[in-house]
Amino acid sequence: MSQHGNLQDTGAEKTVPREKFVVEDPPPEPVYTRYRVEPGKPLKLSSVDPDESGRYERKKDARKELELQRRHLQDLQEKLYAENKHGLLIVLQAMDTGGKDGTIKHVFEGVNPQGCRVSSFKAPSAEERNHDFLWRYHKSAPAVGRIGIFNRSHYEDVLVVRVKNLVPEEVWRKRYELINNFERGLVLNGITILKFYLHISKGEQKKRLESRLDDPDKRWKFSSNDIKERALWGAYQEAFEDAIAACSTEWAPWYVVPANKKWYRNLVIARTIADTLEAIDPRFPLAEEGLEKVEIPD
Ligand code: AMP
Ligand code: MG
């Protein structure tokens, strides 16, 4: 691991931060791996309970723990930014109403916006379609020192694109490998990748769509297209299973997070991110020498 302790105290090391280019491979592992999909294993989403909430029964039981994890994440993000050596890419995918926006709002509350960027991906523009499918995602990938959040991602190109037959199978089939290589390239450049599938049930989606219709403040989120997409639930689940199984790698794991209970989803994601940052172990850079003698002139 490219730890700080490895820095030898020679004059040359001070001017050339060599360890900036040394990336741990595979990347540091978080301790909290409960919902991680092991590489190379097939996945059946129906075997994961979307209602699960661990040892918590009610929202208020988890409130303190969420606050703790959030604060931890905020502290580590500050160090990640200051150190400017590692970055983090968080990929959020879900069925419609799965809670991608809510996750961003609640997990990143209080994180310094300066070191963080959310990229939301809709259907590609004409220009984007004229490039290889990864082009627009690569442009939005985070630099070292930053956290990038993908609200939808390059996985749409093997999800909606597959389900809606937007390109022939021989085109999307090859994309799993292209995605794995793309992600590997980011990892070797110092970017740790975490991918979350927010797992809700079809019944829960019905409730959430109904509440969008009922609540005037939520109605703007409803699209009649959501009903057409819902009819394709089975095909989407299959596409998710294949994508997650093919692309949960040692260097960029997928996590399938029970998401019927929003508070539990937030807690699991906050904890997984904080724990991953903890494993990266970012540190504030050393201060200049002799600062104790500095006086600020009047
Ligand atoms: P929303 O997130 O509700 O604003 O919807 C965004 C829409 O963009 C969804 O219907 C996605 O399926 C669609 N979308 C995102 N990425 C792609 C893509 N690569 N190709 C086609 N459609 C996409
Ligand atoms: Mg939508």
Coordinates of all heavy atoms in Angstrom, one line a residue, residues 56-67 263-264 267:
Y56 N -31.9 -3.1 13.0 CA -32.8 -1.9 13.3 C -34.2 -2.2 12.9 O -34.5 -2.8 11.9 CB -32.3 -0.7 12.6 CG -30.8 -0.4 12.8 CD1 -29.9 -0.8 11.9 CD2 -30.4 0.4 13.9 CE1 -28.5 -0.6 12.1 CE2 -29.1 0.6 14.1 CZ -28.1 0.1 13.2 OH -26.8 0.4 13.4
E57 N -35.1 -1.7 13.8 CA -36.6 -1.9 13.5 C -37.2 -0.7 12.9 O -37.9 -0.7 11.9 CB -37.3 -2.3 14.7 CG -37.5 -3.8 14.9 CD -38.1 -4.2 16.2 OE1 -39.2 -3.6 16.4 OE2 -37.6 -5.0 16.9
R58 N -36.9 0.5 13.5 CA -37.5 1.7 13.1 C -36.5 2.7 12.7 O -35.3 2.7 13.1 CB -38.4 2.2 14.2 CG -39.7 1.4 14.4 CD -40.2 1.6 15.8 NE -39.1 1.3 16.8 CZ -39.2 1.3 18.1 NH1 -40.3 1.8 18.6 NH2 -38.2 1.0 18.9
K59 N -36.9 3.7 12.0 CA -36.1 4.8 11.5 C -35.3 5.4 12.7 O -34.1 5.7 12.6 CB -36.9 5.8 10.8 CG -36.2 7.0 10.2 CD -37.1 7.9 9.5 CE -36.3 9.1 8.9 NZ -37.2 10.0 8.1
K60 N -36.0 5.6 13.8 CA -35.3 6.3 14.9 C -34.2 5.5 15.5 O -33.3 6.0 16.1 CB -36.3 6.9 15.9 CG -37.1 5.9 16.7 CD -37.9 6.7 17.7 CE -38.9 6.0 18.6 NZ -38.5 4.8 19.4
D61 N -34.3 4.2 15.4 CA -33.2 3.3 15.9 C -31.9 3.6 15.2 O -30.8 3.3 15.8 CB -33.6 1.8 15.8 CG -34.9 1.5 16.5 OD1 -35.3 2.2 17.4 OD2 -35.5 0.5 16.0
A62 N -32.0 4.0 14.0 CA -30.8 4.1 13.1 C -30.3 5.5 13.0 O -29.2 5.8 12.4 CB -31.1 3.5 11.7
R63 N -31.0 6.5 13.6 CA -30.7 7.9 13.3 C -29.3 8.3 13.8 O -28.6 8.9 13.1 CB -31.8 8.8 14.0 CG -31.7 10.2 13.6 CD -32.8 11.1 14.1 NE -34.1 10.6 13.6 CZ -35.2 10.7 14.3 NH1 -35.2 11.2 15.5 NH2 -36.3 10.2 13.8
K64 N -29.0 7.9 15.0 CA -27.7 8.2 15.6 C -26.6 7.6 14.8 O -25.6 8.3 14.5 CB -27.7 7.6 17.0 CG -27.5 8.7 18.1 CD -27.1 8.0 19.4 CE -27.0 9.0 20.5 NZ -27.3 8.2 21.7
E65 N -26.7 6.4 14.4 CA -25.7 5.7 13.6 C -25.5 6.4 12.3 O -24.4 6.6 11.8 CB -26.1 4.2 13.5 CG -25.2 3.4 12.7 CD -23.8 3.2 13.4 OE1 -23.7 3.4 14.6 OE2 -22.9 2.8 12.7
L66 N -26.6 6.8 11.6 CA -26.4 7.5 10.4 C -25.7 8.8 10.6 O -24.8 9.1 9.8 CB -27.8 7.8 9.7 CG -27.8 8.6 8.5 CD1 -27.0 7.9 7.3 CD2 -29.2 8.9 8.0
E67 N -26.0 9.5 11.6 CA -25.4 10.8 11.9 C -23.9 10.6 12.1 O -23.0 11.3 11.6 CB -26.0 11.4 13.1 CG -25.7 12.9 13.3 CD -25.7 13.7 12.0 OE1 -26.7 13.7 11.2 OE2 -24.7 14.3 11.7
W263 N -34.3 4.8 5.2 CA -33.4 5.1 6.3 C -32.3 4.0 6.4 O -31.1 4.3 6.6 CB -34.0 5.3 7.6 CG -35.0 4.2 8.0 CD1 -36.4 4.2 7.7 CD2 -34.7 3.0 8.7 NE1 -36.9 3.0 8.2 CE2 -35.9 2.3 8.9 CE3 -33.5 2.5 9.3 CZ2 -36.0 1.1 9.5 CZ3 -33.6 1.3 9.9 CH2 -34.8 0.6 10.0
Y264 N -32.7 2.8 6.1 CA -31.7 1.7 6.2 C -30.7 1.8 5.0 O -29.5 1.6 5.1 CB -32.4 0.3 6.2 CG -31.3 -0.8 6.5 CD1 -30.6 -0.8 7.7 CD2 -31.1 -1.7 5.5 CE1 -29.7 -1.8 8.0 CE2 -30.1 -2.7 5.8 CZ -29.5 -2.8 7.0 OH -28.5 -3.7 7.2
L267 N -28.2 4.4 5.6 CA -27.2 4.0 6.6 C -26.2 3.0 5.9 O -25.0 3.2 6.1 CB -27.9 3.3 7.8 CG -27.0 2.8 8.8 CD1 -26.2 3.9 9.4 CD2 -27.8 2.1 9.9

